[in-house]
Amino acid sequence: MQYKLDINGAPHKVDADPDMPLLWVLRDYLGYNGTKFGCGAGLCGACTVHVDGKAARSCITPVSSIGKAKITTIEGLSADNSHPVQQAWIAEQVPQCGYCQSGMIMAVAALLKEKPQPTRSDIADAITNICRCGTYSRVERAIERAIPKV
């Protein structure tokens, strides 16, 4: 079946099975390789993208469910790593292996867009991504750094 997708502000047409996860459409059909495969069950968050501004696990999101929604991948968050969350990640030297980082950055960016001043509880509820390297203390510092000062 053919789908018209808006990814990072650009139109794309793909022929894909309706049940194909968005992750594989992004990576295998369109070359957006910043979105990673982790678990395939929506648990680890390495595949997190934005669907109409909300964090979504692309490994369990069928392409047929997208409709006219706008998709943003890590490549579309900013062209030059200038997004405040990316800048905070760099300043706090968050990544070790880096594999989970694009999904975690996307989850944090979605949270801060929805709740610019999140509580610790908001953060714990929204950021359920798994980092096998265990850089959680750096992630926490980066999130705190990315929260706009009021």
Side-chain angles (χ1 to χ4, degrees):
M1 192 158 191
Q2 188 169 81
Y3 296 94
K4 295 177 184 176
L5 302 172
D6 180 329
I7 302 170
N8 300 331
H12 296 275
K13 289 183 184 177
V14 295
D15 285 314
D17 183 281
D19 294 328
M20 177 177 271
L22 177 60
L23 172 66
W24 299 123
V25 171
L26 293 170
R27 290 183 59 80
D28 294 350
Y29 288 20
L30 301 172
Y32 289 103
N33 293 320
T35 304
K36 304 299 184 194
F37 173 78
C39 66
L43 302 171
C44 75
C47 67
T48 303
V49 298
H50 296 173
V51 176
D52 278 343
K54 304 235 184 262
R57 305 285 168 98
S58 65
C59 73
I60 58 169
T61 303
V63 69
S64 60
S65 72
I66 297 301
K68 295 184 185 286
K70 294 181 184 321
I71 300 161
T72 305
T73 68
I74 190 72
E75 292 92 345
L77 195 58
S78 76
D80 59 359
N81 294 328
S82 62
H83 189 280
V85 176
Q86 291 171 313
Q87 288 295 300
W89 245 245
I90 292 166
E92 295 297 335
Q93 300 179 15
V94 174
Q96 249 180 334
C97 83
Y99 196 82
C100 66
Q101 298 307 307
S102 62
M104 202 169 298
I105 288 168
M106 295 302 286
V108 173
L111 170 64
L112 294 182
K113 185 175 182 184
E114 183 180 331
K115 293 184 177 183
Q117 298 294 314
T119 64
R120 286 199 170 271
S121 178
D122 294 333
I123 294 167
D125 290 345
I127 312 305
T128 58
N129 302 55
I130 296 171
C131 173
R132 289 183 177 174
C133 297
T135 64
Y136 297 110
S137 60
R138 287 187 254 173
V139 167
E140 288 175 9
R141 287 194 308 269
I143 293 170
E144 289 171 12
R145 181 183 288 264
I147 294 171
K149 307 299 181 238
V150 289

